Amino acid sequence: MSAQADSPTTLALPKRRRIRANAAIGGLIIGVLIATALLSVVWSPYDPLKIDILSRFKAPSAAHWLGTDEFGRDVLSRAMSGAATSSWISLLTVATAVTGGTLIGVLTGYMRGWVDRIIMMFNDALLAFPGILLALGIMAVLGANKYGIILALGLAYMPSVVRVVRGTVLSIRGREYVEASQIMGNAELFTMARHVLPNCIAPLTVLATSMFGWVLLSESALSFLGLGVPPPAATWGNMLAASRPYIGTSPWLGIFPGLCISLTLLGINLFGDAIRDRLDPRMQR
């Protein structure tokens, strides 16, 4: 009589999703940025626009944690106000570029024909110019103001969105579910909105996250050149520009705004990498 060995039973346990380090660090930095921007709307240690000549060029201390500038204004309060201004401009710029670029990209990729050729010819011409250079040209015409920089940077980064969305639409316009929607007699707009546009969300999410960092850096560069938000409103870029004459005697005027920009870009890049790893099937094991 032969004994039959019992085969071990394997239980399929659900896998725990681990939080990646880049997602945790990037999310923490972005969370601090958002919290600081929201807090600055209702409270700041000092009035970021109030001039106090008697407190000029004070080094960081218990009274002024990040020191004061050439007009006696608290650097911490101005950095908080700059976080709100820079974040708001970057958010509206990304929304403008993504909205306009998505509409154009879906239209050209789905309809094709002469409309696609003409629009993409113009789009490729815009892509030939660096985004910051194109924004400089637009700002030279519109002048230095908050909404002008949003329009300029939105138009400068819109061609990149058009290219990404169009490529995604071209890859799915021949799929079975799109053809089935056409055979059922659905309108073209319904097919684009119901079956084509949702497939563009994943690449758009990754692109928009990265674009937020690009826009923040471009806005700081334009403000540094005097083409951003005009003083006395505080942005990290114009704080850096104002610190140039005093970098040798009062280095904190340039160090802290520069650190704000660097840390914010680091957080956005880390968080964008985490989103790409999460949404891209090729990055998943």
Side-chain angles (χ1 to χ4, degrees), residues 119-141:
I119 293 179
M120 292 311 298
M121 186 182 303
F122 183 69
N123 191 78
D124 292 340
L126 292 178
L127 282 174
F129 293 92
I132 187 65
L133 183 61
L134 184 59
L136 277 172
I138 298 175
M139 288 300 298
V141 177

Side-chain angles (χ1 to χ4, degrees), residues 58-121:
K58 283 191 174 181
S61 61
H64 299 278
W65 288 4
L66 303 185
T68 60
D69 63 6
E70 69 274 18
F71 296 107
R73 298 172 297 193
D74 184 63
V75 174
L76 175 59
S77 301
R78 290 183 62 78
M80 293 174 62
S81 178
T85 304
S86 298
S87 300
W88 182 244
I89 290 176
S90 300
L91 182 63
L92 289 181
T93 301
V94 171
T96 301
V98 169
T99 302
T102 300
L103 293 177
I104 297 174
V106 171
L107 177 64
T108 56
Y110 187 80
M111 301 302 294
R112 300 301 300 273
W114 62 270
V115 175
D116 177 44
R117 290 194 293 269
I118 292 177
I119 293 179
M120 292 311 298
M121 186 182 303

Side-chain angles (χ1 to χ4, degrees), residues 1 11 19 41 47 67 69 72 81 94 96 100 106 109 125 148 157 193 219 221 235 273 282:
M1 183 175 178
L11 297 178
I19 300 178
V41 177
D47 185 350
D69 63 6
S81 178
V94 171
T96 301
V106 171
Y157 287 106
E219 183 273 329
T235 65
D273 290 342
R282 295 172 298 180

Side-chain angles (χ1 to χ4, degrees), residues 2-73:
S2 60
Q4 184 178 1
D6 294 330
S7 59
T9 302
T10 304
L11 297 178
L13 298 177
K15 294 182 179 180
R16 292 184 178 180
R17 290 187 176 180
R18 295 177 298 176
I19 300 178
R20 296 178 179 269
N22 52 1
I25 298 174
L28 177 62
I29 295 175
I30 294 176
V32 171
L33 171 67
I34 295 174
T36 302
L38 294 176
L39 180 63
S40 68
V41 177
V42 295
W43 177 85
S44 59
Y46 297 89
D47 185 350
L49 302 180
K50 184 179 180 181
I51 297 176
D52 185 4
I53 299 300
L54 298 179
S55 301
R56 297 172 69 239
F57 298 118
K58 283 191 174 181
S61 61
H64 299 278
W65 288 4
L66 303 185
T68 60
D69 63 6
E70 69 274 18
F71 296 107
R73 298 172 297 193

Side-chain angles (χ1 to χ4, degrees), residues 85-98 131-132 135 146 149-158 160-161 207-223 228 235-237 261 264-265 268-269:
T85 304
S86 298
S87 300
W88 182 244
I89 290 176
S90 300
L91 182 63
L92 289 181
T93 301
V94 171
T96 301
V98 169
I132 187 65
K146 181 186 297 185
I149 194 172
I150 293 173
L151 178 61
L153 291 176
L155 293 176
Y157 287 106
M158 192 179 297
S160 300
V161 181
L207 179 61
T209 306
S210 301
M211 188 179 295
F212 190 92
W214 305 341
V215 172
L216 179 65
L217 187 59
S218 298
E219 183 273 329
S220 300
L222 290 175
S223 297
T235 65
W236 293 337
I261 296 174
T264 302
L265 292 177
I268 292 172
N269 289 334

